[in-house]
Amino acid sequence: MAKLSQEFVSEAEEILDELNRELFRLDGMASGEAFNPECVNSIFRGAHSLKGLAGMFGFSELQEFAHHLETLLDSLRLGRVALSKALVDALFRGAALMKSLVEARAAENALPDTAGLLAEVGRVLNAKPEQAQVSPAEQAGIDPAFTSTLSEYEEHRLNENLRTGNFVHKVTAVFELATFDTALGDLIEAAKTKGEIITTLPSGAASTADQIAFDVLVGTKISRDELATLVAKIPGAEVTTLGGGAAKPAAPAAGAGAGAPAATPATDDRATARSTAQTVRVHIGKLDYLMNIVGDLVIQRSELQRISDRLKREVEAGQLAIDFDKAIRNFTRRVNELQTGVMNTRLVPIGSVFERLATVIRQTSRSLGKDVRIEMSGVETELDKLIVEELSDPLMHIVRNAIDHGIELPAEREAAGKPPQGTIRLNAYPEGNKVIVQITDDGKGIDADRVHQKALDLGLVDPNQQLTNAEKLDLVFLPGLSTKTEVSDLSGRGVGMDVVKNNIAGLSGVIQIDSKPGKGTTFSLTLPITLAIIKALLVESRGHTYAVPIYSVIECVRVPAGRVTTIERRAVFELRERSVPLIDLGSYFRHEGEPATGPYDYVIVVGLAEQRLGIRVDTLAGQQDVVIKPLGDLLKKAPGIAGAAELGGQTTVLVLDIGRILSDVMTGGHGERAA
């Protein structure tokens, strides 16, 4: 992609993300939530910005489509078309189509057809609503000479405030010419806390060479006296009521919802081209380049530290070793600061993925005739940019399955004593050096016994193996397993959840299911914050050294020899009155030789939620920051291995995939061996 196109795509995606966020707010207003004119203005500005951006880069197709959408939004904000669920649906499809146009242009693919949606937009624009013969402003007795000074948008907002039963007050104030901008700003900010600023106009009140007067039109629920008290700090401010305050009319007006409008500027005429953002957009490739340099510095730091330790052990080295060690400490401190700084630049909020999922949830639920509400929390939780992007597809599979398999149809939910509207909650939160991402639905839940029986029927599990409820639920990740009897576009082929698990494992993460029949299901993903540079525990087994990501380690313990027992052909040891499965790392990888013997066994305890697993090793060899490098095609599917890492001194070790090892042991898969 050309450099200019990259910049276009990046900025266009930002605009579309923001536009989609506002569309969800608009969807709520179409469902009866309080109308906020600034939301419509924001969407209008988004379409307008995208049109300008497309024109700047010569993308005429997108420019033309955005222009038509902008016209529709302008009609909505001016009350020429009515706000409805059908209109919001069309706007969502328009946003999705603009995203497809951007993606197709970036990939140099054929552009999608826009004719169908443009025809629908045309039909909406031509179906203008009935207009009242006498406007609310005329009914309130407001002088037509005054309303003639307003723009069409301002007059529409004036009428909407009157129609919904709000007061419309005029605040007149005289300001010193030298400070009028600050004083007028204070007046507007005070009034905005209780209503909508419909317009600000130069007043007909007498002005002098040193003074200037303004009229500020405010739509609000509070009385004239209450507004006068609110703006009392503005010297000489006078409040008069133009109309309103009557009981709210029953009939809705076109293009606007009911309720108190938000405190916003009346128009976007004061918009500025100056960006208020304090950020710089950087291509991820440049950050990768910096991170590779930092990774090399981390390896060199470890190597220098080893040399320093050797020098300190040499008595003859004396002062030279001390000076060298001091230099290494300063170097380490600066490398750590650089590492933290570069890694922080790669962190992005997970909210961007949640917003894309919200669009998927909305579209999928509509296509299946289900009513689903979306709740989000923890959207500011940060993860490495690459992890966030790689999460999109697995999370999309999960939410689609939740709607298709989990959430019931409205009639079924009511029959089960549930509200007709289902709920999917997307949540993220940090936990130590990990991030937990949860997707929860309040649907019918997963029948663990039915999943187990299906796996037995397909010959995917050993019929003699006794499984816990959690282990039965974990079978949904087996390739080819689906309990759905009919194949649809969304599910039924048994493809998807195994891919989800593999993709999460590829991010050094693990996934767990918690489900209660009739109550719903929660998928919990445990992920590292970054994969660029991680702290690892180095362990040795049968002469081989491995790196264990420290975020996977719960604790390290010494188990007295002879305290390991066997239950149902599984080796276990007691840890605080709890039996924990135990494997020998050398046996898992089928290394030759015998494990080291002594009075104690060294065991690293890893786990997820309530699951625990002990991994016996010969030696704990310390901690070190490592950079995980992918394995080649021949080894990338090697079980239990996430990648490789260089330790310095031309030493390379394998990094363990704890999620895969944990899964293998719990399901009796590859490499399970009695310790």
Side-chain angles (χ1 to χ4, degrees):
M1 199 182 345
K3 182 179 179 182
L4 285 181
S5 291
Q6 289 177 2
E7 294 175 0
F8 167 78
V9 170
S10 180
E11 189 163 350
E13 286 181 342
E14 281 188 14
I15 294 172
L16 285 168
D17 286 346
E18 178 62 26
L19 195 148
N20 268 306
R21 274 194 291 273
E22 295 295 340
L23 281 179
F24 278 103
R25 293 177 61 199
L26 189 67
D27 192 27
M29 287 184 257
S31 299
E33 294 179 7
F35 187 80
N36 185 340
E38 176 54 18
C39 174
V40 181
N41 287 334
S42 177
I43 299 170
F44 171 79
R45 287 194 294 268
H48 181 74
S49 299
L50 199 58
K51 183 180 78 171
L53 185 69
M56 185 186 308
F57 283 85
F59 291 178
S60 57
E61 297 85 355
L62 178 59
Q63 183 184 16
E64 181 184 355
F65 186 81
H67 171 73
H68 286 279
L69 215 59
E70 180 190 35
T71 303
L72 176 59
L73 288 161
D74 195 34
S75 295
L76 177 62
R77 63 196 284 272
L78 293 174
R80 296 172 186 164
V81 299
L83 176 62
S84 65
K85 298 290 281 185
L87 176 65
V88 176
D89 283 344
L91 291 173
F92 267 112
R93 290 200 301 277
L97 188 52
M98 288 194 290
K99 182 175 177 60
S100 298
L101 284 167
V102 171
E103 291 172 344
R105 180 61 181 260
E108 299 181 352
N109 292 333
L111 299 179
D113 183 25
T114 60
L117 196 48
L118 284 178
E120 184 175 343
V121 169
R123 286 194 294 274
V124 173
L125 288 172
N126 290 329
K128 295 182 179 178
E130 295 181 2
Q131 297 292 333
Q133 295 295 319
V134 181
S135 71
E138 291 174 310
Q139 290 178 342
I142 296 176
D143 186 353
F146 175 78
T147 54
S148 66
T149 63
L150 304 178
S151 69
E152 183 180 0
Y153 177 80
E154 292 166 344
E155 186 176 356
H156 169 62
R157 294 308 312 157
L158 169 67
N159 283 319
E160 276 303 298
N161 273 279
L162 292 171
R163 188 189 64 76
T164 55
N166 283 348
F167 289 104
V168 174
H169 304 301
K170 182 173 71 173
V171 183
T172 303
V174 180
F175 305 99
E176 295 296 325
L177 197 57
T179 59
F180 85 91
D181 53 344
T182 303
L184 178 60
D186 291 342
L187 170 61
I188 290 174
E189 288 301 318
K192 280 169 66 176
T193 61
K194 293 296 182 181
E196 174 188 1
I197 307 301
I198 298 173
T199 188
T200 302
L201 298 169
S203 175
S207 299
T208 67
D210 298 326
Q211 293 181 321
I212 185 170
F214 283 93
D215 290 333
V216 179
L217 221 58
V218 184
T220 178
K221 290 186 177 302
I222 65 175
S223 66
R224 188 197 70 84
D225 291 344
E226 289 172 311
L227 182 59
T229 302
L230 192 66
V231 300
K233 68 176 184 179
I234 308 299
E238 295 183 358
V239 181
T240 56
T241 300
L242 298 185
K248 186 185 297 184
T264 59
T267 72
D268 59 344
D269 294 342
R270 306 181 193 93
T272 172
R274 184 186 296 276
S275 171
T276 57
Q278 299 298 309
T279 57
V280 176
R281 190 180 298 113
V282 179
H283 192 277
I284 188 68
K286 295 180 180 179
L287 294 181
D288 286 343
Y289 175 73
L290 288 178
M291 186 53 74
N292 286 335
I293 294 176
V294 173
D296 290 341
L297 285 174
V298 168
I299 294 171
Q300 294 303 317
R301 178 194 64 191
S302 300
E303 180 63 14
L304 290 172
Q305 187 62 59
R306 263 193 293 273
I307 295 173
S308 174
D309 292 341
R310 287 178 57 192
L311 279 174
K312 283 191 293 184
R313 288 195 294 268
E314 298 291 338
V315 178
E316 295 80 2
Q319 188 60 41
L320 178 61
I322 296 173
D323 292 342
F324 188 67
D325 183 65
K326 183 178 179 181
I328 290 299
R329 290 178 184 277
N330 289 332
F331 178 69
T332 297
R333 179 171 56 83
R334 299 302 291 174
V335 169
N336 288 343
E337 291 172 354
L338 177 62
Q339 178 182 337
T340 301
V342 174
M343 287 176 65
N344 283 340
T345 62
R346 298 171 59 92
L347 300 181
V348 297
I350 197 170
S352 59
V353 176
F354 281 3
E355 286 156 10
R356 284 177 238 161
L357 289 177
T359 302
V360 172
I361 292 170
R362 189 177 187 280
Q363 293 173 341
T364 306
S365 58
R366 293 288 175 90
S367 69
L368 295 174
K370 299 181 178 180
D371 190 5
V372 179
R373 182 165 59 100
I374 306 159
E375 294 181 359
M376 300 184 197
S377 56
V379 294
E380 296 301 324
T381 305
E382 291 186 319
L383 281 166
D384 189 288
K385 166 74 173 173
L386 291 181
I387 293 180
V388 168
E389 292 303 318
E390 293 298 323
L391 267 182
S392 297
D393 286 345
L395 292 181
M396 188 172 68
H397 274 292
I398 294 172
V399 297
R400 280 181 168 172
N401 273 351
I403 299 170
D404 194 19
H405 290 270
I407 301 287
E408 309 93 332
L409 290 165
E412 293 177 50
R413 293 180 62 85
E414 288 185 308
K418 296 180 177 180
Q421 187 180 50
T423 301
I424 290 183
R425 298 182 185 86
L426 306 174
N427 180 33
Y429 59 91
E431 186 177 271
N433 51 7
K434 299 174 289 189
V435 165
I436 311 298
V437 180
Q438 292 180 318
I439 305 96
T440 301
D441 70 73
D442 66 345
K444 65 182 69 169
I446 300 174
D447 186 336
D449 291 329
R450 188 177 171 213
V451 172
H452 184 219
Q453 186 58 52
K454 188 70 177 181
L456 289 171
D457 294 343
L458 295 173
L460 298 175
V461 295
D462 182 353
N464 297 318
Q465 187 178 4
Q466 298 298 314
L467 299 179
T468 64
N469 193 66
E471 290 168 342
K472 291 177 181 176
L473 288 173
D474 210 39
L475 296 175
V476 302
F477 295 113
L478 288 176
L481 191 143
S482 173
T483 56
K484 198 162 186 180
T485 56
E486 296 179 359
V487 175
S488 69
D489 292 339
L490 296 175
S491 60
R493 299 183 188 278
V495 177
M497 293 310 292
D498 60 317
V499 176
V500 166
K501 187 169 187 177
N502 290 336
N503 287 351
I504 298 301
L507 298 172
S508 293
V510 289
I511 182 170
Q512 188 186 37
I513 308 175
D514 181 21
S515 185
K516 293 179 175 57
K519 301 293 184 183
T521 302
T522 296
F523 286 85
S524 297
L525 282 61
T526 304
L527 298 156
I529 294 174
T530 181
L531 292 176
I533 298 176
I534 64 167
K535 189 172 287 296
L537 174 66
L538 302 179
V539 301
E540 294 180 358
S541 178
R542 316 275 179 93
H544 300 270
T545 302
Y546 295 94
V548 186
I550 206 73
Y551 54 76
S552 300
V553 179
I554 296 173
E555 61 181 313
C556 297
V557 297
R558 292 191 307 174
V559 179
R563 296 288 295 275
V564 177
T565 59
T566 301
I567 299 177
E568 295 181 353
R569 297 188 298 172
R570 287 182 175 180
V572 299
F573 71 103
E574 292 294 319
L575 181 63
R576 290 187 284 276
E577 300 181 350
R578 174 180 174 179
S579 294
V580 177
L582 178 68
I583 65 166
D584 177 74
L585 188 60
S587 299
Y588 178 88
F589 287 117
R590 297 184 171 90
H591 291 320
E592 295 181 350
E594 296 296 326
T597 57
Y600 296 97
D601 288 331
Y602 291 98
V603 176
I604 57 174
V605 181
V606 299
L608 174 67
E610 296 301 315
Q611 292 183 334
R612 293 290 183 273
L613 173 67
I615 301 177
R616 186 169 67 187
V617 298
D618 293 343
T619 307
L620 303 177
Q623 296 184 19
Q624 182 173 328
D625 287 340
V626 299
V627 180
I628 301 179
K629 302 290 185 184
L631 298 173
D633 290 341
L634 290 177
L635 297 175
K636 67 180 181 182
K637 292 186 179 179
I641 300 298
E646 186 180 349
L647 300 183
Q650 298 184 334
T651 301
T652 301
V653 299
L654 295 175
V655 181
L656 298 186
D657 180 353
I658 294 298
R660 174 62 187 273
I661 294 175
L662 190 65
S663 176
D664 284 345
V665 174
M666 295 305 173
T667 59
H670 169 90
E672 185 184 6
R673 299 284 188 278

